[in-house]
Amino acid sequence: MNVSEYVWKRLQAWGLHRVYGYPGDGAGGLDVALEHDPGMEMIQVRHEEMAAFMACAHAKFTGRIGLCYATSGPGAVHLLNGLYDARMDHVPVVAIVGQTMRGALGSAFQQEVDLVALFRDVASDFVAQATVPSQVRHLIDRAVRIAHDRRTVTCVVLPNDLQRMPCEEPPMAHGSTHTGVGLPLDAAVPPAEELQHAAEVLNEGRRVAILAGAGALGAADELIDVADTLQACCAKALLGKAVLPDDLPWVTGTIGLLGTRPSWDLMQECDTLLMVGSSFPYTEFLPPPGRARGVQIDRDGGALSLRYPMEVGLRGDAARTLRALRPLLRPRPPDAWRARMEQRVVDWWAQAGRAAMQPARPLNPQRVFHELSVRVPGDAILTADAGTVANWYAQQVRMRRGMMGSLSGTLASMGSATPYAIAAKMAYPHRPVIALIGDGAMQMNGLNEMITIARYWRQWADPRLVVMVLNNGDLAQVTWEERIRMGEARTPSTQHVPDMPYHRYAELLGLQGLYVDDPDRVGAAWWDAALAAPMPVILECRTDPDVAPLPPHFTQEQVRHFAVAAVRDPQRGPVLRNTFRQLMARLLGRR
């Protein structure tokens, strides 16, 4: 057995059986070994960045370690964006990277890049380059164990000539180390005295708000139990959108710029904040410091009190910690505050529905998401891209129990929805998957990964994978950010996106293409066509770029910037008309 063959076998011993990657001579030994190893499934992507995105999504959707590999030089460089996505969203990914031959290192050889230095930031917890075969065992073991335990990115660099050398076990000699396979247990439950302190803070609260993030995935029952005990209401960070179903009356929806008005009200009116598994970054949407007492649960001790000055920080797994905390909480009878918040939630979803039904030219993008929300299968997995797509996903799609959803959260990278969808489909081939993407991100890399979908879709038990493209000819999120934050009008030279028939591209690949520009046909396009198709689909929706992604709360500065921008904007007529309609949909709902 050579080193490359050993690498794949050792990774399988850790439970890793799927790798996303792209070949190259710097990883030639790894390529050949993969071909002859039936225990490791290799998914060939169109670009190494997509391999890293898929490994990240695999970790997000399965809760297990994602695995990717690339060749030396440019292949390794291409991995970085997807790896940063994993690092910043705290999911475990291992990257295996080829390198030029050892004897050439330091000679400015072709494709020679100092890969340890390159990966030192994104894989700061562990990155190492092998120099002898006997070293490979402990490098693989440490990379997997550290990625899992610290929920981060790790990297092992393997020089090309080393990959084909005979494998060697480390000798029984001074200077050698002998590692073993075995993942550590999840984070332990905090000590009893800390749990008691947290319970005292929560029991004294009269208006308890919960903020749940991705770290609370899998803790739905425990969150519901605690919320009902305290008569609390719960907002969700965007990465935690699937933590709780939106049909629970006290779930206020997402929080932040992409959030809901009830979530804003919840944070402004609460006297106690329980944050579970979230490092939500926008502190202006949290209670002002000093107004609310705080308790935080997170498996990462470094995340405690990072966003809000917490009175009690509990380091531990969300579900286990909530279960241990629950018997210490005093049940509270139903109260008027929770009832008022529940009514605001009802009003919000009614407002969102009215906003989606406002006319636009030709389609209101919110309607595309609203019509999906009422038709999406209960076991669907949703992936969303960066841009206005993320706004509509956050504000219009109501998650139900059993659904899954994710996106590039902290990094907020364009072009992630399609590789995320592929990874979801590879992990759950029996479930429908829906990717929500804008035309800018689709042109950036989504089109290429449709080729990957065309290659692999026949092996899925359920062939349904819908890639919905908002074709509005504009990088609309940036356009609106510059209007609201800078007071600048739309700049066509930077914001215009070339038009192309995305649905026809699907047909070119042997997939199904659908096109809709009639509001009354959107629902049927989802249910009767896209979600009923016997193969993957591109659903192209021709939407209006001048529908504002309104935040739940406006500052005076934002209003002033919008007014200044609107006067000079080449699209000021549609912008003002659509914004007025959106505001009226909200105001009528509040009245």
Side-chain angles (χ1 to χ4, degrees):
M1 181 183 296
N2 65 31
V3 167
S4 295
E5 293 164 341
Y6 178 81
V7 166
W8 299 126
K9 294 297 183 187
R10 193 68 174 180
L11 289 166
Q12 291 169 55
W14 282 95
L16 281 64
H17 296 280
R18 181 179 298 116
V19 60
Y20 297 94
Y22 200 81
D25 59 355
L30 294 168
D31 296 337
V32 173
L34 269 176
E35 179 68 21
H36 302 291
D37 191 336
M40 182 65 73
E41 180 186 19
M42 191 273 189
I43 306 300
Q44 187 202 77
V45 301
R46 312 275 61 79
H47 189 285
E48 291 89 353
E49 180 187 0
M50 302 297 99
F53 270 135
M54 291 179 200
C56 175
H58 176 92
K60 287 183 176 183
F61 288 126
T62 67
R64 299 189 293 272
I65 298 168
L67 179 62
C68 59
Y69 91 106
T71 188
S72 57
V77 173
H78 287 163
L79 285 177
L80 286 176
N81 194 54
L83 293 181
Y84 271 107
D85 186 38
R87 175 189 165 133
M88 295 176 74
D89 282 350
H90 308 288
V91 295
V93 169
V94 174
I96 308 296
V97 183
Q99 176 59 292
T100 193
M101 61 190 67
R102 292 170 297 169
L105 290 172
S107 69
F109 200 73
Q110 184 185 30
Q111 293 193 337
E112 181 188 351
V113 173
D114 187 345
L115 295 181
V116 173
L118 179 74
F119 285 89
R120 187 168 286 130
D121 182 51
V122 73
S124 58
D125 284 85
F126 185 78
V127 54
Q129 179 170 298
T131 56
V132 294
S134 61
Q135 189 184 7
V136 173
R137 170 175 155 182
H138 76 253
L139 294 185
I140 295 296
D141 289 352
R142 292 204 71 211
V144 176
R145 182 175 285 110
I146 290 172
H148 176 272
D149 185 57
R150 302 180 191 174
R151 300 184 67 78
T152 192
V153 173
T154 59
C155 177
V156 175
V157 182
L158 298 172
N160 177 271
D161 56 329
L162 181 73
Q163 295 170 26
R164 301 297 297 272
M165 293 178 67
C167 180
E168 296 177 8
E169 287 294 315
M172 288 298 298
H174 181 71
S176 293
T177 184
H178 297 258
T179 53
V181 172
L183 292 173
L185 296 175
D186 287 335
V189 175
E193 58 270 21
E194 295 182 16
L195 290 168
Q196 184 61 50
H197 188 189
E200 291 170 1
V201 172
L202 295 171
N203 286 331
E204 291 174 9
R206 290 294 173 265
R207 298 184 302 278
V208 179
I210 300 173
L211 173 57
L217 289 166
D221 291 335
E222 291 79 6
L223 276 171
I224 292 170
D225 196 9
V226 168
D228 285 339
T229 299
L230 296 172
Q231 291 298 293
C233 297
C234 184
K236 300 182 291 186
L238 190 54
L239 283 172
K241 185 173 173 64
V243 167
L244 290 171
D246 286 306
D247 51 15
L248 291 171
W250 44 266
V251 171
T252 60
T254 51
I255 189 174
L257 287 167
L258 283 61
T260 71
R261 180 70 192 202
S263 291
W264 167 266
D265 292 342
L266 176 67
M267 293 297 154
Q268 297 305 302
E269 297 180 14
C270 70
D271 62 17
T272 308
L273 173 63
L274 171 60
M275 188 180 293
V276 183
S278 175
S279 58
F280 174 73
Y282 301 115
T283 54
E284 66 269 28
F285 289 91
L286 298 178
R291 182 179 294 178
R293 303 176 74 183
V295 174
Q296 185 176 358
I297 300 170
D298 204 290
R299 70 176 67 203
D300 179 6
L304 298 175
S305 284
L306 179 63
R307 309 299 185 195
Y308 193 82
M310 296 294 173
E311 192 167 336
V312 185
L314 301 175
R315 182 179 181 182
D317 173 76
R320 292 184 180 185
T321 302
L322 289 169
R323 281 198 298 270
L325 183 62
R326 167 60 186 86
L328 305 176
L329 302 176
R330 290 195 300 268
R332 188 172 298 158
D335 57 32
W337 181 69
R338 196 191 209 199
R340 287 197 303 272
M341 290 304 307
E342 290 178 351
Q343 184 57 53
R344 292 176 190 177
V345 172
V346 172
D347 293 343
W348 164 263
W349 287 115
Q351 292 170 35
R354 281 192 296 274
M357 294 301 169
Q358 297 303 310
R361 297 182 179 178
L363 288 182
N364 182 338
Q366 295 175 94
R367 182 157 186 174
V368 176
F369 288 75
H370 176 78
E371 299 285 4
L372 167 65
S373 185
V374 298
R375 293 168 174 83
V376 62
D379 61 342
I381 303 174
L382 305 180
T383 69
D385 220 287
T388 54
V389 161
N391 292 74
W392 313 135
Y393 165 72
Q395 295 184 347
Q396 288 287 345
V397 175
R398 302 181 72 167
M399 302 298 284
R400 302 197 301 277
R401 189 147 191 166
M403 292 171 58
M404 301 172 72
S406 194
L407 73 173
S408 175
T410 311
L411 186 62
S413 175
M414 288 178 65
S416 59
T418 309
Y420 268 41
I422 293 170
K425 202 66 183 177
M426 291 296 178
Y428 303 97
H430 57 286
R431 297 178 65 165
V433 174
I434 301 167
L436 308 167
I437 188 168
D439 49 1
M442 191 65 172
Q443 291 186 18
M444 182 177 285
N445 53 35
L447 289 170
N448 287 342
E449 287 312 312
M450 292 304 302
I451 301 172
T452 306
I453 291 172
R455 175 175 180 174
Y456 289 105
W457 74 268
R458 289 176 178 83
Q459 72 186 47
W460 300 331
D462 183 336
R464 289 179 294 173
L465 193 164
V466 181
V467 178
M468 189 285 297
V469 183
L470 289 184
N471 184 356
N472 59 22
D474 191 71
L475 297 174
Q477 182 75 6
V478 176
T479 296
W480 279 103
E481 286 174 343
E482 292 177 355
R483 284 169 176 152
I484 301 301
R485 295 182 181 179
M486 301 170 60
E488 295 293 337
R490 181 175 183 265
T491 53
S493 63
T494 64
Q495 303 310 108
H496 175 69
V497 176
D499 191 20
M500 72 162 288
Y502 301 96
H503 65 292
R504 298 277 178 84
Y505 181 73
E507 295 168 356
L508 182 66
L509 296 175
L511 307 177
Q512 185 166 338
L514 300 169
Y515 178 86
V516 60
D517 60 2
D518 181 350
D520 294 329
R521 291 183 53 242
V522 174
W526 275 118
W527 187 248
D528 296 333
L531 290 168
M535 63 181 64
V537 171
I538 290 180
L539 172 59
E540 180 182 350
C541 299
R542 178 72 71 167
T543 55
D544 191 336
D546 296 321
V547 176
L550 298 178
H553 172 75
F554 308 102
T555 66
Q556 291 183 353
E557 183 181 38
Q558 289 171 333
V559 174
R560 183 172 64 254
H561 284 167
F562 174 76
V564 171
V567 171
R568 304 196 303 260
D569 203 295
Q571 296 295 111
R572 61 180 172 271
V575 165
L576 292 172
R577 182 168 55 248
N578 286 334
T579 303
F580 176 77
R581 289 167 176 164
Q582 297 299 310
L583 289 172
M584 290 305 297
R586 286 195 180 183
L587 293 173
L588 289 173
R590 286 184 212 166
R591 185 186 68 178

